[in-house]
Amino acid sequence: MKLTRERIVDAGMAVFAEVGYHHLSMRQVADRLDTHAGSLYYHVRGKDELLALMADRVCRQAYDAGTEALAALPPAADWPDRIHAQAAGLRRSIGQHPGGARLLAESPGMLSTGALSLMERLLGTLVDAGLPADDCGIAADTLLSHVTGFVLQEQNGPAAPPPVTAELHADLCERFPLLMGPTFPRLSQDEKFTRSIRLLCAGFATLARPPAAGT
């Protein structure tokens, strides 16, 4: 098959999923494509550009996922609903790629237009909500950072909780009664995510300015 930039990005994503951010190399990508590393440089200038292209792909897929989620909202949806739709689409999209959260976290330094599109749309939603301009950038960055961190925890967490004996459980309950006791509900990851976004939006709402009279 003809070597193209898209095929190189495909191979880069596959290698990235196996070896991670720091161990990705152009040689490994070339091996995946059954070609020489030197031939890649006709299409991609080096590892930094490849990572930027990979980050941009993840961000564009996340943007498209957010677009679909927004389109599915009812007409009466309010701005927190629109924020949640974008955040949930982002979580699903980057969660599909091993290391996708890391790529998103690195994307601003790579000047990814996909990441800029995500930020632009979030900013527009927050402006429409009435947040002061001085706070919109911080709010949007907080949302993206939260989603990135949430997915990093999901991707790096253990497949199953560690075994706990009855004796250890009793000791933990005694030492950490709030954490281990019945006071706080045990939530699914989806419910945790939804409630965390709602909490952030509730905080943002305290900054929102009421619409001007007659608008």
mmCIF file of all heavy atoms in Angstrom, residues 162-181 186:
data_model
loop_
_atom_site.group_PDB
_atom_site.id
_atom_site.type_symbol
_atom_site.label_atom_id
_atom_site.label_comp_id
_atom_site.label_asym_id
_atom_site.label_seq_id
_atom_site.Cartn_x
_atom_site.Cartn_y
_atom_site.Cartn_z
ATOM 1 N N PRO A 162 -8.266 -4.122 44.850
ATOM 2 C CA PRO A 162 -7.406 -5.080 45.557
ATOM 3 C C PRO A 162 -8.205 -5.873 46.587
ATOM 4 O O PRO A 162 -9.189 -5.375 47.133
ATOM 5 C CB PRO A 162 -6.361 -4.179 46.231
ATOM 6 C CG PRO A 162 -7.028 -2.845 46.358
ATOM 7 C CD PRO A 162 -7.916 -2.726 45.160
ATOM 8 N N PRO A 163 -7.812 -7.120 46.851
ATOM 9 C CA PRO A 163 -8.537 -7.922 47.843
ATOM 10 C C PRO A 163 -8.389 -7.319 49.243
ATOM 11 O O PRO A 163 -7.325 -6.833 49.611
ATOM 12 C CB PRO A 163 -7.859 -9.296 47.757
ATOM 13 C CG PRO A 163 -6.496 -9.015 47.179
ATOM 14 C CD PRO A 163 -6.674 -7.853 46.262
ATOM 15 N N VAL A 164 -9.483 -7.326 49.979
ATOM 16 C CA VAL A 164 -9.500 -6.767 51.331
ATOM 17 C C VAL A 164 -10.101 -7.809 52.266
ATOM 18 O O VAL A 164 -11.244 -8.251 52.068
ATOM 19 C CB VAL A 164 -10.317 -5.462 51.394
ATOM 20 C CG1 VAL A 164 -10.379 -4.937 52.830
ATOM 21 C CG2 VAL A 164 -9.731 -4.415 50.465
ATOM 22 N N THR A 165 -9.354 -8.180 53.277
ATOM 23 C CA THR A 165 -9.864 -9.131 54.265
ATOM 24 C C THR A 165 -10.862 -8.439 55.179
ATOM 25 O O THR A 165 -10.913 -7.199 55.265
ATOM 26 C CB THR A 165 -8.721 -9.706 55.105
ATOM 27 O OG1 THR A 165 -8.128 -8.639 55.873
ATOM 28 C CG2 THR A 165 -7.662 -10.352 54.223
ATOM 29 N N ALA A 166 -11.660 -9.232 55.883
ATOM 30 C CA ALA A 166 -12.629 -8.676 56.826
ATOM 31 C C ALA A 166 -11.927 -7.876 57.912
ATOM 32 O O ALA A 166 -12.411 -6.813 58.337
ATOM 33 C CB ALA A 166 -13.468 -9.800 57.429
ATOM 34 N N GLU A 167 -10.782 -8.367 58.344
ATOM 35 C CA GLU A 167 -10.031 -7.667 59.383
ATOM 36 C C GLU A 167 -9.534 -6.317 58.895
ATOM 37 O O GLU A 167 -9.651 -5.297 59.597
ATOM 38 C CB GLU A 167 -8.853 -8.527 59.840
ATOM 39 C CG GLU A 167 -8.025 -7.897 60.961
ATOM 40 C CD GLU A 167 -6.851 -8.773 61.371
ATOM 41 O OE1 GLU A 167 -6.662 -9.837 60.755
ATOM 42 O OE2 GLU A 167 -6.134 -8.382 62.314
ATOM 43 N N LEU A 168 -8.992 -6.307 57.676
ATOM 44 C CA LEU A 168 -8.502 -5.042 57.123
ATOM 45 C C LEU A 168 -9.658 -4.076 56.898
ATOM 46 O O LEU A 168 -9.543 -2.873 57.157
ATOM 47 C CB LEU A 168 -7.757 -5.296 55.811
ATOM 48 C CG LEU A 168 -7.254 -4.057 55.055
ATOM 49 C CD1 LEU A 168 -6.343 -3.208 55.935
ATOM 50 C CD2 LEU A 168 -6.543 -4.465 53.768
ATOM 51 N N HIS A 169 -10.795 -4.583 56.400
ATOM 52 C CA HIS A 169 -11.947 -3.722 56.156
ATOM 53 C C HIS A 169 -12.420 -3.065 57.452
ATOM 54 O O HIS A 169 -12.729 -1.863 57.489
ATOM 55 C CB HIS A 169 -13.082 -4.525 55.533
ATOM 56 C CG HIS A 169 -14.285 -3.706 55.184
ATOM 57 N ND1 HIS A 169 -15.365 -3.562 56.035
ATOM 58 C CD2 HIS A 169 -14.565 -2.953 54.080
ATOM 59 C CE1 HIS A 169 -16.260 -2.776 55.471
ATOM 60 N NE2 HIS A 169 -15.803 -2.394 54.288
ATOM 61 N N ALA A 170 -12.462 -3.847 58.537
ATOM 62 C CA ALA A 170 -12.878 -3.296 59.826
ATOM 63 C C ALA A 170 -11.913 -2.216 60.303
ATOM 64 O O ALA A 170 -12.326 -1.175 60.841
ATOM 65 C CB ALA A 170 -12.987 -4.417 60.858
ATOM 66 N N ASP A 171 -10.626 -2.461 60.078
ATOM 67 C CA ASP A 171 -9.615 -1.474 60.484
ATOM 68 C C ASP A 171 -9.756 -0.195 59.671
ATOM 69 O O ASP A 171 -9.681 0.919 60.217
ATOM 70 C CB ASP A 171 -8.224 -2.071 60.303
ATOM 71 C CG ASP A 171 -7.128 -1.082 60.667
ATOM 72 O OD1 ASP A 171 -7.083 -0.652 61.837
ATOM 73 O OD2 ASP A 171 -6.328 -0.716 59.774
ATOM 74 N N LEU A 172 -9.982 -0.330 58.372
ATOM 75 C CA LEU A 172 -10.143 0.850 57.518
ATOM 76 C C LEU A 172 -11.392 1.639 57.896
ATOM 77 O O LEU A 172 -11.377 2.876 57.897
ATOM 78 C CB LEU A 172 -10.212 0.421 56.045
ATOM 79 C CG LEU A 172 -8.934 -0.157 55.445
ATOM 80 C CD1 LEU A 172 -9.200 -0.690 54.034
ATOM 81 C CD2 LEU A 172 -7.828 0.898 55.391
ATOM 82 N N CYS A 173 -12.463 0.943 58.217
ATOM 83 C CA CYS A 173 -13.697 1.628 58.617
ATOM 84 C C CYS A 173 -13.493 2.423 59.901
ATOM 85 O O CYS A 173 -14.064 3.512 60.068
ATOM 86 C CB CYS A 173 -14.823 0.616 58.804
ATOM 87 S SG CYS A 173 -15.457 -0.065 57.250
ATOM 88 N N GLU A 174 -12.692 1.882 60.808
ATOM 89 C CA GLU A 174 -12.433 2.571 62.059
ATOM 90 C C GLU A 174 -11.553 3.793 61.841
ATOM 91 O O GLU A 174 -11.781 4.854 62.439
ATOM 92 C CB GLU A 174 -11.767 1.621 63.048
ATOM 93 C CG GLU A 174 -11.506 2.248 64.413
ATOM 94 C CD GLU A 174 -10.895 1.265 65.399
ATOM 95 O OE1 GLU A 174 -10.786 0.068 65.061
ATOM 96 O OE2 GLU A 174 -10.520 1.709 66.507
ATOM 97 N N ARG A 175 -10.562 3.681 60.971
ATOM 98 C CA ARG A 175 -9.613 4.770 60.756
ATOM 99 C C ARG A 175 -10.167 5.834 59.820
ATOM 100 O O ARG A 175 -9.809 7.012 59.925
ATOM 101 C CB ARG A 175 -8.304 4.215 60.198
ATOM 102 C CG ARG A 175 -7.560 3.297 61.154
ATOM 103 C CD ARG A 175 -6.409 2.594 60.462
ATOM 104 N NE ARG A 175 -5.429 3.555 59.944
ATOM 105 C CZ ARG A 175 -4.468 3.212 59.074
ATOM 106 N NH1 ARG A 175 -4.400 1.978 58.598
ATOM 107 N NH2 ARG A 175 -3.609 4.131 58.670
ATOM 108 N N PHE A 176 -11.020 5.433 58.880
ATOM 109 C CA PHE A 176 -11.538 6.370 57.876
ATOM 110 C C PHE A 176 -13.065 6.250 57.809
ATOM 111 O O PHE A 176 -13.622 5.788 56.806
ATOM 112 C CB PHE A 176 -10.917 6.080 56.504
ATOM 113 C CG PHE A 176 -9.415 5.994 56.516
ATOM 114 C CD1 PHE A 176 -8.768 4.769 56.425
ATOM 115 C CD2 PHE A 176 -8.642 7.144 56.637
ATOM 116 C CE1 PHE A 176 -7.391 4.684 56.443
ATOM 117 C CE2 PHE A 176 -7.262 7.077 56.641
ATOM 118 C CZ PHE A 176 -6.624 5.842 56.558
ATOM 119 N N PRO A 177 -13.750 6.680 58.868
ATOM 120 C CA PRO A 177 -15.201 6.452 58.936
ATOM 121 C C PRO A 177 -15.993 7.179 57.860
ATOM 122 O O PRO A 177 -17.017 6.661 57.394
ATOM 123 C CB PRO A 177 -15.561 6.955 60.336
ATOM 124 C CG PRO A 177 -14.465 7.922 60.706
ATOM 125 C CD PRO A 177 -13.227 7.361 60.064
ATOM 126 N N LEU A 178 -15.560 8.364 57.463
ATOM 127 C CA LEU A 178 -16.303 9.081 56.425
ATOM 128 C C LEU A 178 -16.127 8.405 55.072
ATOM 129 O O LEU A 178 -17.089 8.231 54.313
ATOM 130 C CB LEU A 178 -15.830 10.537 56.353
ATOM 131 C CG LEU A 178 -16.196 11.421 57.539
ATOM 132 C CD1 LEU A 178 -15.607 12.812 57.366
ATOM 133 C CD2 LEU A 178 -17.707 11.513 57.708
ATOM 134 N N LEU A 179 -14.907 8.034 54.768
ATOM 135 C CA LEU A 179 -14.618 7.424 53.468
ATOM 136 C C LEU A 179 -15.217 6.028 53.349
ATOM 137 O O LEU A 179 -15.769 5.667 52.303
ATOM 138 C CB LEU A 179 -13.099 7.361 53.268
ATOM 139 C CG LEU A 179 -12.599 6.782 51.944
ATOM 140 C CD1 LEU A 179 -13.069 7.644 50.780
ATOM 141 C CD2 LEU A 179 -11.079 6.687 51.954
ATOM 142 N N MET A 180 -15.119 5.247 54.392
ATOM 143 C CA MET A 180 -15.525 3.845 54.330
ATOM 144 C C MET A 180 -16.961 3.614 54.807
ATOM 145 O O MET A 180 -17.523 2.552 54.550
ATOM 146 C CB MET A 180 -14.585 2.995 55.202
ATOM 147 C CG MET A 180 -13.129 3.048 54.787
ATOM 148 S SD MET A 180 -12.846 2.400 53.127
ATOM 149 C CE MET A 180 -13.303 0.676 53.352
ATOM 150 N N GLY A 181 -17.525 4.584 55.493
ATOM 151 C CA GLY A 181 -18.857 4.403 56.056
ATOM 152 C C GLY A 181 -19.957 4.598 55.036
ATOM 153 O O GLY A 181 -19.720 4.863 53.848
ATOM 154 N N ARG A 186 -21.777 5.090 47.044
ATOM 155 C CA ARG A 186 -20.835 4.509 46.096
ATOM 156 C C ARG A 186 -21.427 4.678 44.699
ATOM 157 O O ARG A 186 -22.477 4.123 44.393
ATOM 158 C CB ARG A 186 -20.589 3.031 46.399
ATOM 159 C CG ARG A 186 -20.045 2.767 47.798
ATOM 160 C CD ARG A 186 -18.636 3.327 47.968
ATOM 161 N NE ARG A 186 -18.064 2.965 49.267
ATOM 162 C CZ ARG A 186 -18.033 3.773 50.313
ATOM 163 N NH1 ARG A 186 -18.581 4.985 50.230
ATOM 164 N NH2 ARG A 186 -17.488 3.395 51.446
#
